Amino acid sequence: MIGITAYGGYIPRLRLQRMAVFQAMGWFAPAIMMVAQGERSMCNWDEDSLTMSVAAARDCLVGMDKSKVDALYMASTTAPFADRQNSGIVATALNLKDNVLTADFTASQKTATTAMVTALEALKGGEKKSVLLTAADMRITKSAYFHEMWYGDGAASLLLGTENVIAECLGSYSVSYDFVDHYRGSMNKYDYNWEERWVRDEGYSKIIPEVVTGLLKKCNMSPADISKLVFPCFFKREHQGIAKGMGFKREQLVDNMHEVCGETGAAHALVMFISALEEAQPGDKILVASFGQGSDALLFQVTDKIKSLPPRQGIKGSLANRKEVDVYQKFLRFRDLMQTEMGIRAEAPTQTALTVLYRKRKFLLGFVGGECRKCGTRQIPSNDICVNPDCGSVKSQESVEFADTPAHIKTFTGDMLSVSVEPPNCYGMVQFEGGGRILADFSDCELGDLKVGKTVKMAFRKRYHDKERGFHGYFWKALPQAEA
């Protein structure tokens, strides 16, 4: 049996209230009131498609044996590097084995489902036994227009394999058209969007029915055989109308999630699909289709194994973990859409020594420390000499992953003098259970959220952006967790 063996999701904690956009810019664009309902997810200043991909993949791998992953595919249209394999960074951050195949899928909103079809075909061929797929998007738009309101940020991840399958793949069907509803040139920052009526009438309303009916015919099924239908469409009324036109009832259609997070780009078909999996029962059939220069449609049947999948945050948990943002200027600043004076300290050089990055990649990207073979003392980063003064052994360190080790705040401070996109800059000492401590930045919090002894969770985040050289630097930060 071939199909999905685990899933994971990530929606950023921050939620921009769409009414805040209208209140700030309604004088300029009153029509955006039509889509000002609810909230859209927004990345923190230190998040992007890469960090969200890592977060979703970590969620997907909860309770799974990641040493069995044969390949990792990353799908995104907003990956930070055009010529550095983004999936390779994700694989290093996840500490996957070195002999793993990595590949980036990009340049279309349907790229995640295309990667899923590719992964399933690799499994059918027998060359691969387990493929990890992670998809994310953080699309940048011009201010005060419908797309800024429609879009959201988010990520989804699927583990596909042949053992302990929670949803068996029953078939897939694809169509490809050079239908240009929008595009972004290689040297451009923003998408260029064509008229909404064109996208709705000639795009969604024709391509989605074609691919869905094509798959149903291929599988010898009808809409009545399907438990849930998943396809993205940011036109809410047309979303429902297209499903009805194909013969699906309203209760079969999975909501497009406009009110709770917005459309998360290349990840959105999988985000919606995972929200359906979270509520699915064994025997349910879920049909998921994408949209972007054609479409891929895939049909899955949920198995009894879904009941034994270890608990995870998923999309449902991510949506529950939220903080409202009603200051529109913060959204603009976090996306570098508004220039602010950062002070002379911000002029300090940020060039990355690529030699050091490679040699120290296990620590810098994978957050791997060491444990002394002789005395058992843990330390991060790992060094040639054990930090235990009663030991002091040389070259005695075994590699230990710290990213999932429980940790607590030992000291903290809020610094108004150092450079920060969201002052004060909060950092302090983090103590890991079982040994090891490190000076870390705190994120997804305010100074008032910090307390000595509070539990933190480590997260892969962006540390800096070297604009002069176009380089994004990443490391691990500590996220304070809500007290029970």
Side-chain angles (χ1 to χ4, degrees):
M1 184 183 295
I2 292 172
I4 296 164
T5 57
Y7 60 79
Y10 181 77
I11 303 295
R13 178 170 173 258
L14 300 182
R15 309 294 157 75
L16 176 65
Q17 303 304 295
R18 291 192 177 95
M19 190 54 70
V21 182
F22 176 76
Q23 288 171 343
M25 297 302 296
W27 62 272
F28 173 76
I32 60 176
M33 180 63 184
M34 291 190 293
V35 289
Q37 309 83 20
E39 58 193 22
R40 58 153 293 169
S41 55
M42 60 173 271
C43 282
N44 204 336
W45 70 268
D46 57 357
E47 293 183 293
D48 61 13
S49 296
L50 196 60
T51 66
M52 291 192 294
S53 292
V54 172
R58 289 179 73 195
D59 191 44
C60 184
L61 290 172
V62 170
M64 301 291 119
D65 183 358
K66 63 183 181 182
S67 68
K68 294 183 177 179
V69 174
D70 299 315
L72 183 146
Y73 300 160
M74 176 181 166
S76 177
T77 64
T78 55
F81 290 98
D83 190 356
R84 178 189 175 190
Q85 198 176 50
N86 298 280
S87 54
I89 304 172
V90 175
T92 308
L94 296 173
N95 284 306
L96 299 184
K97 58 190 180 187
D98 290 337
N99 62 334
V100 67
L101 174 71
T102 52
D104 290 359
F105 287 72
T106 188
S108 170
Q109 294 297 302
K110 69 178 175 76
T111 187
T113 53
T114 303
M116 184 155 58
V117 171
T118 304
L120 291 165
E121 289 177 350
L123 294 169
K124 288 177 185 174
E127 285 292 318
K128 307 296 179 191
K129 300 295 183 186
S130 180
V131 180
L132 180 61
L133 163 63
T134 185
D137 249 344
M138 187 193 80
R139 291 180 287 181
I140 303 294
T141 65
K142 292 180 181 176
S143 174
Y145 195 57
F146 291 114
H147 294 86
E148 182 180 56
M149 308 286 259
W150 279 325
Y151 293 174
D153 305 328
S157 183
L158 295 172
L159 187 62
L160 301 119
T162 57
E163 298 178 357
N164 298 317
V165 171
I166 65 170
E168 180 185 9
C169 181
L170 301 181
S172 66
Y173 187 81
S174 298
V175 296
S176 181
Y177 297 110
D178 186 29
F179 177 82
V180 188
D181 57 314
H182 75 280
Y183 69 89
R184 185 171 68 252
S186 60
M187 303 297 288
N188 294 80
K189 182 175 183 178
Y190 304 105
D191 291 352
Y192 183 82
N193 296 281
W194 203 247
E195 188 180 355
E196 286 85 9
R197 189 176 49 178
W198 161 257
V199 183
R200 182 190 61 212
D201 296 346
E202 203 62 31
Y204 287 113
S205 297
K206 292 186 177 178
I207 293 175
I208 294 295
E210 180 183 349
V211 75
V212 169
T213 54
L215 178 58
L216 290 175
K217 184 178 179 181
K218 181 179 177 181
C219 297
N220 196 27
M221 292 187 187
S222 70
D225 297 315
I226 305 302
S227 307
K228 291 292 180 183
L229 173 65
V230 176
F231 69 92
C233 175
F234 46 68
F235 305 111
K236 189 107 181 171
R237 183 179 297 177
E238 281 69 25
H239 186 235
Q240 297 168 355
I242 292 168
K244 184 179 180 181
M246 292 186 289
F248 289 91
K249 297 178 181 177
R250 189 162 186 168
E251 55 269 25
Q252 291 175 280
L253 181 64
V254 174
D255 183 72
N256 72 354
M257 305 175 76
H258 170 75
E259 285 81 5
V260 295
C261 68
E263 186 169 288
T264 57
H268 202 57
L270 301 192
V271 167
M272 294 172 64
F273 177 54
I274 290 171
S275 74
L277 277 176
E278 290 172 333
E279 304 295 330
Q281 298 298 317
D284 285 355
K285 294 184 179 68
I286 305 175
L287 194 159
V288 55
S290 56
F291 178 77
Q293 287 76 61
S295 176
D296 307 302
L298 300 100
L299 180 59
F300 292 90
Q301 182 164 16
V302 179
T303 74
D304 293 336
K305 295 290 185 182
I306 199 168
K307 296 291 186 183
S308 54
L309 188 68
R312 60 207 54 235
Q313 180 171 268
I315 298 301
K316 189 175 183 179
S318 291
L319 290 174
N321 180 27
R322 57 187 285 278
K323 180 184 178 183
E324 294 184 7
V325 175
D326 55 10
V327 179
Y328 180 53
Q329 293 86 342
K330 179 175 282 191
F331 173 81
L332 296 177
R333 182 64 192 92
F334 282 11
R335 298 173 102 80
D336 202 20
L337 295 171
M338 182 173 69
Q339 296 301 308
T340 54
E341 176 57 56
M342 298 300 288
I344 197 168
R345 288 185 173 87
E347 298 173 9
T350 56
Q351 184 179 21
T352 299
L354 301 180
T355 43
V356 175
L357 175 62
Y358 181 71
R359 290 173 185 146
K360 301 288 186 182
R361 65 189 185 281
K362 292 288 186 184
F363 166 61
L364 295 172
L365 298 179
F367 208 54
V368 173
E371 180 177 307
C372 179
R373 285 189 294 273
K374 295 188 176 177
C375 71
T377 299
R378 290 189 168 195
Q379 61 190 75
I380 182 166
S382 177
N383 285 312
D384 287 344
I385 302 174
C386 176
V387 294
N388 182 355
D390 297 327
C391 178
S393 297
V394 178
K395 296 189 181 300
S396 62
Q397 302 285 300
E398 291 281 358
S399 294
V400 175
E401 296 182 26
F402 278 79
D404 293 321
T405 303
H408 307 276
I409 298 174
K410 196 167 182 66
T411 65
F412 67 90
T413 189
D415 188 344
M416 290 296 292
L417 294 178
S418 60
V419 178
S420 175
V421 177
E422 189 180 23
N425 188 13
C426 297
Y427 53 89
M429 189 65 70
V430 169
Q431 175 73 49
F432 293 93
E433 294 183 8
R437 64 178 62 168
I438 194 169
L439 188 65
D441 290 319
F442 296 108
S443 189
D444 280 6
C445 67
E446 297 175 358
L447 182 59
D449 299 325
L450 303 178
K451 188 171 71 174
V452 172
K454 195 168 191 176
T455 302
V456 296
K457 179 181 178 182
M458 302 309 293
F460 187 74
R461 291 293 177 92
K462 190 165 59 178
R463 276 211 81 203
Y464 59 89
H465 179 205
D466 182 350
K467 291 183 179 179
E468 184 178 353
R469 302 169 188 83
F471 193 86
H472 298 265
Y474 298 88
F475 192 56
W476 293 78
K477 297 185 180 182
L479 312 184
Q481 301 297 291
E483 295 177 332

